[in-house]
Amino acid sequence: MNDDTIGIGCDWGTSNLRFYRLGNSGQIIERRQFSAGVSSIKDNKFEAFFTKAIQDWLDNYPNIPVIVSGMAGSRQGWKETSYLPCPANIEKIVNKLTPIKLNYGRTIWIAPGLSYTNYQGLHDVMRGEEVQILGALSIIDRKKKLICLPGSHSKWATVAAGHVLEFHTFITGELFEAIKAGTIIGSMIDPNAWNDDAFIQGIESVGTSKNILNQLFTVRTKGLFNQLTSTTAGAFLSGLLIGYELAGALAGTRFKKIYLIGDGQLTTLYQKALLHKGIEPQVFAPDIIASGHFKIIKIINQDV
Amino acid sequence: MNDDTIGIGCDWGTSNLRFYRLGNSGQIIERRQFSAGVSSIKDNKFEAFFTKAIQDWLDNYPNIPVIVSGMAGSRQGWKETSYLPCPANIEKIVNKLTPIKLNYGRTIWIAPGLSYTNYQGLHDVMRGEEVQILGALSIIDRKKKLICLPGSHSKWATVAAGHVLEFHTFITGELFEAIKAGTIIGSMIDPNAWNDDAFIQGIESVGTSKNILNQLFTVRTKGLFNQLTSTTAGAFLSGLLIGYELAGALAGTRFKKIYLIGDGQLTTLYQKALLHKGIEPQVFAPDIIASGHFKIIKIINQDV
C-alpha cells in the first residue's frame, strides 16, 4: 500500500477492544472499536477475534509492528505477561514486550502491565493505563506531574523525566456502584437523577466526620433530616467518594495542575472536583493511548 | 397474679421483636422473641401483632408499664417519635416517652431515639441502642467510657455520669456485605471460609496505604500476588474494615477498656480486634436492654 502506515496499536481492555492504524508522524489514520472486552471472549478465542477484526490491515501491512496493551496481557486474557516494576519508562516497557506468534506466522507484541510496591510491601497494578500515560508523556514536559485516570478503578500516577515513579488505585467507582446496589443509602437514591450542587456539597463534606465509614452514614441521616432527597442523594454520595479519593491522592502534594486521561461524565466529575479545589485539570481523551503505541512502534522500527 | 412482675420491656428492631417480663429487682422473669422486625409488618398492623404476642401478659398484669424501644418509633414503624438530642440521660428519655393508646384502652409507651449533631452540623441517630446503653450504665461506673454496639451499622457512644454525650455510626458491616456482593474483591471471596490470622493481618494493614478506597484495591493485588486466597480474602477484608472503623472510633481517645454490647460472631470479631490493639473488651449480651427498660419502668412507677 502506498501510504505512511507504520504500525498498529491495540488496546484490549475488560469491556472494549480498540484498534489504531498509525501514520509516521503518529497520527491515527483509522480507528476501529468493538464492544468485545477480554471478559466477553469465550474459549480463549482471542486470536480468532483479533485477526478477523483487522484482517485487511494485517494483509495490507505485512511488515509493521502490532502492539497490544491492556487486559489482553492478564491472567484472564490472551497471554499473561508479567508486571514491570516502577519506576518504569518507555525503554523498559519495550524490553518487556512479549511476542505472540499468530497461526499464520506473524508475530505481534503484548505490552507488560506496571506494578508499584510501596515501602510496606503492598502492591498496586495497572494494565493498559501505562500506555495511555506514555502517550500523555509525549505531550507534557518532563517535570514531576500527577496524572489521574478516572474509572471504576481510578489510577493516580506520579511521573517525572519520562518515568512512571509510582501509582495508586482507588476503587471509588466500583464502591459507588456497590453502595448504590446493596445498602440503605442506595435505597435513598433515584439512579436517574443528578444535581451538581449536591455533588459539590459532597466534596465539601469530606473530612467533616470521623472517617469514611462514619461519613457514609451521614448520607442516611441527611435523608432523615430532609437535607438530601432521592434526587440529590446520589450526586452527594458521588461527591463524597470522589472528594475522599482526592483527599488521599493529593495528600502531601502541591500540584496546581493535574492531568486527567478519560472522557464522558466521570471525567467531567473529576474536572469539577479539581476545579472546586482550585486545581486546574487538563484533559486528554483516552485515544492518547495511540501516542503511547506510536512511541513503542518507533523504537521497534529503529531497532530493525 | 401473685408474683413480682412490675413492667414489660419490648425491643422492636428492624429484624427482631423481643419482649421481657420484668421482676421488681430487674430480673427477666420471662422472655419472648419473634423474627418479626418492623420491616416485616404489613399494612401497619403493629398493634395487632404486638397484642397477640403478649396477650396473656397484658391480661394478667393490667396496671404495669409497657415500654417499647427501637425501630417501632421510626417513620417506618408503629408510631414515629422524635429524636432526643445528646447529651441525654434516663430522665430526658422518660420525659420524651410517647404514649400509644391501644384499642381496648390501655396506654403503652414508645421510647424516643437519640440524635447527636457534631460541631459541623452533621447528624447521627440511633433507635433502640440507647436503651441498651441505659442498661449497661446501671452496671458500669459513672466515669467517662466508650461503648461499642457492633452491627451492620455499628454505634460508638461516649458516656459519662449517666449521660450519652455523643455517638457515631459506622456502616462497616453493611459495606462489607455490599463489597462482597458487588465488587471484584467480592468475587475473590469464598463466603463460607474464615481465617483468624488473615483477620488479624487485615487489622494490622490499616493505614499502610493512601486511604481506604486505595487500600481496598490492595485486597485485589494481594490475590494477584498470591498473598490472599479465596479462603483468606474475606477475613482479611473484614479485618481491614473493622480495623479502619476502630481507627476512626478510637482516634484521640486513650481508653484501656471498651464496653461491647452484642453477641454472636460479629461481637467476637470486635473483641479480637480490640484485644489485638491492647484494649480490654468487656461484653454485655443484648438482653442488657431489659435493664434499660427496667430503669424506665422504675421511674414511671415512682411517679405514679
Side-chain angles (χ1 to χ4, degrees):
Chain A
M1 295 288 285
N2 188 16
D3 68 28
D4 70 353
T5 296
I6 66 153
I8 295 168
C10 168
D11 174 36
W12 207 340
T14 303
S15 29
N16 279 291
L17 170 59
R18 294 185 186 88
F19 292 98
Y20 304 95
R21 183 157 66 82
L22 300 169
N24 60 15
S25 59
Q27 81 276 24
I28 298 170
I29 300 174
E30 192 181 345
R31 184 183 186 287
R32 287 183 191 168
Q33 180 165 348
F34 302 85
S35 299
V38 163
S39 58
S40 73
I41 302 296
K42 304 297 171 206
D43 304 324
N44 221 31
K45 296 201 166 161
F46 291 97
E47 179 168 339
F49 197 97
F50 180 90
T51 50
K52 192 175 169 204
I54 55 164
Q55 189 66 61
D56 52 336
W57 295 1
L58 294 170
D59 291 345
N60 291 339
Y61 310 98
N63 296 313
I64 61 172
V66 181
I67 310 298
V68 180
S69 60
M71 295 304 283
S74 74
R75 205 166 294 175
Q76 293 76 36
W78 190 345
K79 181 166 188 173
E80 188 173 2
T81 62
S82 55
Y83 291 104
L84 180 64
C86 284
N89 63 357
I90 176 84
E91 282 76 23
K92 286 189 179 174
I93 287 174
V94 170
N95 286 340
K96 271 279 198 178
L97 291 173
T98 299
I100 295 187
K101 194 162 184 175
L102 303 182
N103 283 329
Y104 71 94
R106 184 163 183 171
T107 296
I108 65 163
W109 302 94
I110 300 212
L114 294 192
S115 67
Y116 167 68
T117 307
N118 77 7
Y119 70 103
Q120 283 157 316
L122 288 176
H123 304 291
D124 211 320
V125 294
M126 59 168 63
R127 282 200 191 275
E129 293 92 348
E130 70 288 344
V131 183
Q132 292 184 302
I133 293 169
L134 280 187
L137 288 179
S138 45
I139 298 173
I140 62 185
D141 69 40
R142 296 174 70 81
K143 289 180 194 159
K144 192 168 175 178
K145 312 280 187 196
L146 193 52
I147 299 178
C148 168
L149 301 99
S152 63
H153 294 174
S154 299
K155 309 283 181 183
W156 288 79
T158 308
V159 297
H163 282 72
V164 179
L165 300 180
E166 62 175 75
F167 64 90
H168 304 278
T169 303
F170 295 75
I171 68 158
T172 315
E174 192 175 33
L175 197 68
F176 177 70
E177 294 301 327
I179 289 171
K180 273 209 300 188
T183 71
I184 194 168
I185 298 166
S187 66
M188 296 165 59
I189 296 173
D190 174 352
N192 299 312
W194 186 261
N195 182 290
D196 266 344
D197 290 342
F199 177 71
I200 296 296
Q201 282 167 31
I203 293 169
E204 285 179 347
S205 77
V206 171
T208 56
S209 113
K210 286 229 149 187
N211 77 358
I212 192 76
L213 298 174
N214 171 232
Q215 200 141 25
L216 284 168
F217 190 70
T218 69
V219 182
R220 160 85 173 144
T221 55
K222 278 178 178 285
L224 287 174
F225 288 84
N226 302 315
Q227 296 169 339
L228 283 176
T229 65
S230 63
T231 60
T232 56
F236 181 87
L237 174 64
S238 173
L240 179 60
L241 289 175
I242 290 178
Y244 190 76
E245 173 184 335
L246 259 55
L250 298 173
T253 73
R254 287 160 52 163
F255 295 99
K256 290 178 180 161
K257 184 174 190 171
I258 302 284
Y259 296 85
L260 292 175
I261 303 178
D263 59 7
Q265 200 204 346
L266 186 63
T267 300
T268 305
L269 292 182
Y270 279 74
Q271 277 183 274
K272 283 180 186 162
L274 287 169
L275 282 171
H276 186 74
K277 285 181 163 285
I279 296 172
E280 180 196 348
Q282 180 172 335
V283 180
F284 296 110
D287 278 354
I288 193 80
I289 197 169
S291 301
H293 291 131
F294 176 68
K295 283 170 79 172
I296 295 172
I297 288 162
K298 273 212 302 188
I299 292 181
I300 292 180
N301 281 341
Q302 283 167 1
D303 280 352
V304 167
Chain B
M1 297 286 286
N2 189 17
D3 66 30
D4 69 353
T5 296
I6 65 152
I8 296 169
C10 168
D11 174 36
W12 206 339
T14 303
S15 28
N16 280 292
L17 169 59
R18 294 187 187 86
F19 292 97
Y20 304 94
R21 185 158 65 85
L22 300 170
N24 61 13
S25 60
Q27 80 277 22
I28 298 170
I29 300 175
E30 192 181 345
R31 184 184 187 284
R32 288 185 190 168
Q33 179 166 351
F34 301 84
S35 299
V38 163
S39 59
S40 73
I41 302 297
K42 304 298 172 205
D43 305 323
N44 220 31
K45 299 203 162 156
F46 291 97
E47 178 168 339
F49 197 97
F50 180 89
T51 49
K52 191 174 171 207
I54 55 165
Q55 189 66 62
D56 52 336
W57 294 2
L58 294 170
D59 291 345
N60 291 340
Y61 311 98
N63 298 312
I64 61 173
V66 181
I67 310 297
V68 180
S69 60
M71 295 305 283
S74 72
R75 202 166 296 174
Q76 293 77 37
W78 189 348
K79 179 166 189 172
E80 188 173 3
T81 61
S82 56
Y83 292 105
L84 179 65
C86 285
N89 64 356
I90 176 85
E91 281 76 22
K92 288 190 178 175
I93 287 174
V94 170
N95 286 340
K96 272 278 199 181
L97 290 173
T98 299
I100 295 186
K101 194 162 182 175
L102 302 183
N103 283 331
Y104 72 93
R106 180 159 186 175
T107 296
I108 65 163
W109 302 94
I110 300 214
L114 294 192
S115 66
Y116 167 69
T117 307
N118 77 7
Y119 69 103
Q120 283 157 316
L122 288 177
H123 304 292
D124 211 320
V125 294
M126 60 168 62
R127 279 199 190 275
E129 292 92 346
E130 70 288 344
V131 183
Q132 292 183 303
I133 294 169
L134 280 187
L137 288 179
S138 45
I139 298 173
I140 62 186
D141 68 43
R142 295 174 69 83
K143 289 181 194 158
K144 191 168 176 179
K145 311 280 186 194
L146 194 52
I147 299 179
C148 168
L149 300 99
S152 63
H153 294 176
S154 298
K155 309 281 180 186
W156 288 78
T158 307
V159 298
H163 282 71
V164 179
L165 301 180
E166 63 175 75
F167 63 90
H168 303 277
T169 303
F170 296 75
I171 68 159
T172 315
E174 192 175 33
L175 197 68
F176 178 69
E177 294 302 326
I179 289 171
K180 273 209 300 186
T183 71
I184 196 168
I185 297 166
S187 66
M188 294 164 59
I189 295 172
D190 174 352
N192 299 312
W194 186 262
N195 182 292
D196 267 343
D197 290 342
F199 176 71
I200 296 295
Q201 283 167 30
I203 293 169
E204 287 179 347
S205 77
V206 170
T208 55
S209 121
K210 287 229 149 187
N211 76 0
I212 194 76
L213 298 174
N214 171 232
Q215 200 141 25
L216 285 167
F217 190 70
T218 68
V219 183
R220 160 84 173 144
T221 56
K222 277 179 178 285
L224 287 173
F225 288 84
N226 302 314
Q227 294 169 340
L228 283 176
T229 65
S230 62
T231 59
T232 55
F236 181 88
L237 174 63
S238 174
L240 180 59
L241 290 175
I242 290 178
Y244 189 76
E245 173 183 335
L246 259 54
L250 299 174
T253 73
R254 285 160 53 163
F255 295 100
K256 290 178 180 160
K257 184 175 191 171
I258 302 284
Y259 296 85
L260 292 174
I261 302 178
D263 59 6
Q265 199 202 348
L266 186 62
T267 300
T268 306
L269 292 183
Y270 279 73
Q271 276 183 275
K272 281 181 188 162
L274 288 169
L275 282 170
H276 186 73
K277 285 181 164 287
I279 296 171
E280 180 197 346
Q282 181 172 335
V283 180
F284 296 110
D287 278 353
I288 193 82
I289 197 168
S291 301
H293 291 131
F294 175 69
K295 283 171 80 171
I296 295 171
I297 288 162
K298 271 210 304 187
I299 291 182
I300 292 179
N301 281 343
Q302 283 167 359
D303 280 352
V304 166

